[in-house]
Amino acid sequence: MQWLMTILHVDTTSELWWVLFGLSAQLMFTARFLLQWIASERAKNSVIPIAFWYFSLVGGLMLFAYALYRKDPVFVLGQSLGVIIYSRNLWLIYANRRATKDAA
């Protein structure tokens, strides 16, 4: 495990877990773009599937937690706005679905 700590430039096991968490968060966040790209290619049109917003929200929350751990105010501010936007998009999607269902 020492080789991994050396590669990631961390000094403690706790710091190593936070960096691995941060890398996982970034992978979650990146997966949303792959998901959106695949959905758009299949539809031959620009599509944003609902899973995109879930990946965005989970990745954003994970990156927000990592930013808090790193005590980086720029990173915290950037992720907090994103989390609000992702949450609002999910809220609008479900509100629209409820309204459509009630109208039917």
Side-chain angles (χ1 to χ4, degrees), residues 81-99:
L81 180 59
V83 167
I84 292 167
I85 293 168
Y86 311 140
S87 299
R88 180 64 177 154
N89 274 284
L90 285 167
W91 179 272
L92 291 170
I93 289 167
Y94 283 107
N96 188 348
R97 285 185 179 180
R98 277 192 302 273

Side-chain angles (χ1 to χ4, degrees), residues 21-57:
F21 180 82
L23 288 170
S24 298
Q26 190 59 52
L27 287 173
M28 174 68 72
F29 208 63
T30 301
R32 72 193 184 125
F33 290 117
L34 295 173
L35 178 75
Q36 191 273 332
W37 180 31
I38 291 167
S40 293
E41 289 295 331
R42 286 182 178 165
K44 302 292 184 217
N45 190 19
S46 183
V47 175
I48 300 179
I50 194 168
F52 175 89
W53 297 112
Y54 281 109
F55 275 82
S56 297
L57 182 60

Side-chain angles (χ1 to χ4, degrees), residues 6-24:
T6 301
I7 290 170
L8 295 175
H9 303 285
V10 296
D11 298 321
T12 66
T13 305
S14 174
E15 196 174 31
L16 173 64
W17 284 113
W18 271 109
V19 169
L20 292 175
F21 180 82
L23 288 170
S24 298

Side-chain angles (χ1 to χ4, degrees), residues 42-84:
R42 286 182 178 165
K44 302 292 184 217
N45 190 19
S46 183
V47 175
I48 300 179
I50 194 168
F52 175 89
W53 297 112
Y54 281 109
F55 275 82
S56 297
L57 182 60
V58 172
L61 287 169
M62 290 173 71
L63 286 171
F64 180 75
Y66 182 69
L68 287 174
Y69 167 74
R70 302 293 294 180
K71 297 180 181 140
D72 184 330
V74 174
F75 197 10
V76 168
L77 181 61
Q79 290 307 313
S80 61
L81 180 59
V83 167
I84 292 167

